[in-house]
């Protein structure tokens, strides 16, 4: 499908939706009217509504297609729409339920998928021109697991080229806008996911995080997200496939408007697939079983490298107080090496100065590359290390950083901090020198591999969302989720954008 044809399909989706309603309509659907009640529900609520037959899967899918048609022309978040297959699968889900068959926890619930995760029969570009028409023949493992649990894919969402930037723009699909301010970026690299979920076009999304790529968009767009422990979720079917010395920083991750949806979907996508050798079959514990009183948490406002805005500092302090009020033992204490995270992260990417990446892109026909990715190569992986010894030494510093962080975490169950020291940035500014320094807050936990969850706790003077992140010990996603769920309950979490 060409770009012009795709845009026409998106625009037409809302117009044809009313004529294609399922005959199975529950009383709640009739009350929903324009679907606004449906699209504001969490994935968990939608799953319950489908199983109780108060809502049909078809009506839920149609409501989200209507919303995509309404907001996507402003956002450019959904770049491949799978409307007809979504309708067909919704009808099949309703028919199965009528027979008493439930496929799984997401039976009939719509979802969206980041365009770096392969989807059988649906174009997956990775944001690069050489794959503009590439159609995978199999789903990525995490995608297949969500489908097997009953999830229905509405479409693929936009990314920067090779998921290589904190903004979302590429030469295949163009730029994605933030639903709270169209002049700002939704972040990257899971920017399309964040934008469409915040704007109620999807309740739940699958993304990735190699340097803040799920948490920064969640912060910029007022959402909840989790980067699981490194080794928890297979990366099979991710493009580019994480291989080599840096592969541990790459995490398949989840993003939603509500923390409960992260807890719902994480057990579905976790566990070995016998394709990704790095995945460990560790037990996944239940956030509902976590008792907050008795936990010990450290927090810091400033990582020593990039000073946050006063509103973000206040958001961190307010979150720490909310934990204290819940019986958590809270210390204001910063890991000694916190400020080194950004330098360590970028140094281990600079071995060849980006020569290998450029050669790879040329080999798949991605010539030219996007201006945004050119900035990424210039600022993030250049200049090259002087020699092999220096390149290898960067990985030694990674180990030293991780060991230092682990020693600090010995005394705590979790660490609270900002996700980034600023709210959503204006388009085109993420590689400005001062802004680049701010991404170490997120990159620290790609280096350690620890589970880290994000939630909205406030609003900037400009009306932009403000989030915080909570990192827990390895394999303790339950602790991270329980803590951010408390913050969501205290501060209200996601708030619907008013600009679109």
């Amino acid at each position: 499908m060409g770009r012009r044809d795709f845009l026409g399909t998106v625009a037409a989706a809302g117009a044809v939706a009313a004529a294609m309603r399922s005959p199975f309509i529950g009383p709640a659907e009739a009350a929903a009217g324009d679907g606004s009640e449906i699209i504001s529900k969490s994935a968990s609520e939608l799953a319950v509504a489908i199983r109780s037959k108060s809502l049909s899967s078809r009506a839920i899918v149609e409501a989200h297609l209507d919303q995509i048609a309404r907001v996507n022309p402003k956002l450019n978040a959904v770049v491949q729409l799978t409307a007809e297959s979504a309708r067909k699968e919704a009808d099949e889900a309703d028919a199965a339920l009528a027979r008493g068959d439930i496929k799984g926890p997401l039976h009939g619930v719509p979802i969206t998928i980041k365009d770096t995760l392969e989807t059988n029969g649906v174009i997956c570009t990775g944001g690069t021109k050489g794959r503009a028409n590439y159609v995978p023949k199999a789903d990525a493992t995490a995608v297949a697991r969500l489908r097997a649990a009953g999830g229905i894919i509405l479409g693929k969402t936009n990314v920067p080229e090779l998921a290589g930037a904190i903004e979302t723009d590429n030469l295949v699909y163009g730029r994605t806008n933030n639903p709270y301010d169209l002049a700002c970026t939704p972040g990257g690299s899971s920017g399309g996911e964040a934008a469409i979920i915040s704007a109620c076009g999807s309740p739940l999304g699958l993304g990735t995080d190699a340097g803040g790529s799920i948490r920064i968009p969640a912060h910029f767009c007022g959402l909840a997200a989790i980067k699981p422990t490194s080794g928890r979720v297979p990366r099979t079917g991710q493009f580019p496939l994480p291989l080599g010395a840096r592969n541990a920083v790459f995490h398949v991750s989840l993003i939603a408007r509500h923390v409960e949806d992260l807890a719902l979907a994480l057990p579905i996508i976790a566990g070995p697939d016998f394709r990704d050798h790095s995945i460990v079959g560790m037990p996944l514990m239940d956030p509902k079983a976590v008792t907050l009183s008795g936990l010990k948490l450290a927090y810091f406002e400033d990582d020593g490298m990039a000073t946050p805005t006063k509103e973000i500092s206040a958001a961190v302090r307010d979150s720490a107080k909310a934990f204290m009020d819940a019986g958590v033992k809270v210390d204001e204490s910063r890991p000694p090496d916190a400020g080194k995270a950004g330098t360590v992260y970028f140094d281990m990417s600079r071995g060849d100065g980006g020569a290998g990446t450029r050669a790879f892109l040329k080999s798949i026909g991605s010539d030219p590359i996007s201006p945004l990715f050119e900035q990424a190569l210039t600022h993030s992986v250049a200049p090259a290390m002087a020699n092999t010894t220096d390149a290898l030494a960067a990985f030694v510093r990674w180990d030293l950083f991780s060991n230092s962080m682990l020693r600090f975490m010995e005394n705590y169950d979790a660490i609270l901090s900002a996700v980034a020291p600023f709210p959503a940035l204006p388009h085109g500014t993420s590689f400005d020198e001062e802004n680049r320094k701010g991404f170490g807050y997120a990159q620290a936990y790609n280096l350690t591999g620890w589970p880290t969850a994000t939630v909205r706790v406030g609003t900037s003077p400009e009306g932009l969302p403000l989030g915080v992140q909570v990192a827990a010990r390895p394999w303790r996603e339950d602790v991270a989720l329980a803590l951010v769920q408390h913050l969501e309950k205290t501060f209200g979490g996601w708030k619907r954008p008013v600009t679109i």
Side-chain angles (χ1 to χ4, degrees), residues 456-474:
R456 178 176 180 165
V457 297
T459 305
S460 78
E462 304 85 3
L464 296 169
L466 300 177
V468 296
Q469 64 180 347
V470 175
R473 290 181 173 187

Side-chain angles (χ1 to χ4, degrees), residues 226-233 251 259 262-263 266 270 282-287 290 449-453 470 472-484:
I226 186 164
K227 177 190 74 64
T229 306
S230 180
R232 175 71 80 184
V233 180
H251 304 64
V259 175
L262 309 178
L266 183 57
M282 287 289 289
L284 186 62
M285 290 176 272
D286 186 356
V290 174
W450 300 344
T452 311
V470 175
R473 290 181 173 187
W475 311 110
R476 296 307 305 267
E477 289 88 351
D478 59 322
V479 171
L481 288 170
L483 287 166
V484 294

Side-chain angles (χ1 to χ4, degrees), residues 16-25 33-34 58-63 66:
V16 303
M20 302 190 69
R21 300 290 183 189
S22 166
F24 173 50
I25 301 291
D34 62 1
R58 179 59 179 266
I60 291 169
V61 165
E62 292 291 1
D66 284 349

Side-chain angles (χ1 to χ4, degrees), residues 374-386:
E374 187 66 55
Q375 287 189 72
L377 291 173
T378 300
H379 294 294
S380 301
V381 299
M385 292 293 191

